[in-house]
Amino acid sequence: GGEGGGGCQGAASSVRWVQEDTCSKFSSDGSTYIKGSCNGTEMDALLFFPDQDDPEANKCRAQSGQAPMDFSLPVGKCIKMMGAAWTSVTCADGYMGFSSWEPPKIDPPPPPQRLQCAGDVVDGGQGSADAEGALTVTFEVNASVVDLVSFELALASDPRRRPFLHFTAVLDMHASTTGRATIPGLKLQERYVIEARSHLRKKSDGDPNAWSNLTQQQLECTASASAGNQGEGELLLKPPLDIPKTRWIEVFRQNTNGALPDFLDGHNSADLFGQFSTYGVMSTDEQHPITRYCVEILDVTLQDVMTTTTTGKGVSAPFADYGSCIGGDCLCMQVPDRLIAREPPSQILAACPVVDMSGMCECSRASVAMTRNYTGMTIVPLPFRCGFSKSSLPPDYEPWPFESETVGHWFSHPSGGRCPPGAKVGEGGCTWQPAPLSHSVYTDDLIAEGMNTTMQQVGKEFYTDLSVSLQNVDVGRKAFAALDLPACGPPAE
């Protein structure tokens, strides 16, 4: 297969041995406990999620916290599970061994300092009524270690001060300590509360560990009329003749782990229909942003792409095969995602000859190379349905029935194709670049607006009624329509 050994190369960063048939701490923070056994080819275990204050003797009893999770993993296979490092399981003398390959720990930079409003966008800012507002912020940061500053803007009139607009400023490595950013897309004379965070140079912006905390200071500034994009002398330069052809896509991503957007690099996203018809039911009543990003991608036609239709046949497509992105790696599309996408069983078994709970598949080298370098896409037919069986495809999967006219799309955004901060799409072979401006709504607000989180469960399968998915698409569409955002891409001539 094309994946090779995945990330299980060299010496493991940690190995944890757990005695069989004994309740043992599984995660170092004590949030999960494990009890299981090994037969040489497979490890079978129950994973428990006890309350922190449960006595040690009760950690593997399911009386509190969540019900235990039944899971089995193949011995000796290099796997990557949600929220975990690359892992391989071994068995020896009544013990189960878990080897992990964690990336080295990152120390994030300090947040930007001394944020100030610079009020010189244009003459006191009396633009025409429909003029766009902007504001300029100065800040101090060490540009030799920080390449991006993300500004998080809330309306000053919002009592909760939740950021709904985000702007990423790119810093030149040799810039002076004092940086300056003009944030567009604002309403004239509106007051905004601004916080900022900085990003460690040369790291992925999709890695939450590479971002600083937010500034302690909350700055308030008023938007004035923007002077258009008059960069210093930029308008005098003739554009190069060989600009590659690009196009724009609008994508949405929910950060399920935090209260600020977590960007696209090494992550999956969806179009509006694909986001709200599937992930909508998984929304929680917490402050988790669903963020709309505009992405400029290289306009390509790739050959023998399998994941953009339900036919199981290779087609030429403007996207690569979709990658299941886990922990920053966009991998050969995993079994659960293939079931959701209603791929024919023959197509799944060709890519995933061994079906087990790791969900790992092995795509061809050519497919993996595409997935690692270009934006990938899969269709997501409705009704939304996902499931898992331990060692085979679900017995009733032929694929499951679906309505061919109601489909959303999921995307993968591989680090390998990401353009460096400030680079144009196509430079140095890079294939995608997000716009600096993005916008968010929050899951708890959507639930208050009628987002339906009802999922049905039968055995190990979950599904969502079509009417629930369509209701959630409607709630999501209205929430973003209320922000009145321009279409992605440069304004029409």
Side-chain angles (χ1 to χ4, degrees), residues 10-261:
S13 53
S14 70
V15 183
R16 170 164 292 162
W17 289 98
V18 172
Q19 196 167 353
E20 287 189 52
D21 302 316
T22 308
C23 180
S24 309
K25 189 190 285 192
F26 189 55
S27 58
S28 49
D29 63 358
S31 60
T32 51
Y33 274 68
I34 192 170
K35 187 174 183 181
S37 61
C38 230
N39 68 5
T41 58
E42 193 173 58
M43 176 222 70
D44 253 319
L46 285 172
L47 210 52
F48 294 85
F49 308 91
D51 287 343
Q52 296 291 350
D53 47 7
D54 283 347
E56 203 62 29
N58 292 346
K59 292 291 192 189
C60 291
R61 286 191 195 161
Q63 75 236 35
S64 67
Q66 291 172 269
M69 187 175 112
D70 175 13
F71 83 121
S72 58
L73 292 176
V75 168
K77 185 171 178 177
C78 183
I79 56 178
K80 184 141 196 196
M81 312 269 293
M82 274 304 176
W86 286 100
T87 302
S88 177
V89 181
T90 38
C91 304
D93 305 328
Y95 282 83
M96 305 180 289
F98 298 88
S99 303
S100 296
W101 285 260
E102 296 267 5
K105 194 169 167 353
I106 296 176
D107 286 322
Q113 305 294 317
R114 297 190 180 81
L115 264 58
Q116 287 185 315
C117 315
D120 59 351
V121 182
V122 168
D123 61 8
Q126 296 308 318
S128 63
D130 60 349
E132 182 181 275
L135 55 82
T136 298
V137 179
T138 58
F139 55 92
E140 287 186 11
V141 77
N142 178 353
S144 68
V145 294
V146 169
D147 57 358
L148 302 170
V149 172
S150 179
F151 293 93
E152 322 295 343
L153 277 70
L155 289 170
S157 57
D158 171 12
R160 299 178 307 174
R161 306 213 147 173
R162 278 197 179 177
F164 74 97
L165 183 146
H166 322 276
F167 181 79
T168 309
V170 177
L171 304 183
D172 183 89
M173 187 157 188
H174 309 293
S176 65
T177 323
T178 304
R180 191 184 171 83
T182 298
I183 302 169
L186 307 179
K187 277 209 172 82
L188 269 181
Q189 303 304 323
E190 185 78 67
R191 277 188 80 65
Y192 294 89
V193 177
I194 303 163
E195 297 172 287
R197 48 187 175 145
S198 37
H199 176 263
L200 191 61
R201 192 172 281 286
K202 297 232 186 299
K203 297 291 175 192
S204 163
D205 61 357
D207 181 351
N209 300 313
W211 286 94
S212 73
N213 292 330
L214 278 173
T215 43
Q216 290 304 298
Q217 155 203 14
Q218 284 194 335
L219 180 69
E220 277 198 35
C221 305
T222 302
S224 49
S226 99
N229 280 339
Q230 289 175 352
E232 302 298 299
E234 278 178 333
L235 304 177
L236 305 176
L237 296 173
K238 283 206 172 73
L241 295 173
D242 56 346
I243 299 181
K245 193 160 176 263
T246 63
R247 58 199 178 87
W248 289 83
I249 56 173
E250 174 189 59
V251 304
F252 297 80
R253 172 174 171 78
Q254 179 184 336
N255 182 3
T256 51
N257 298 312
L260 289 171

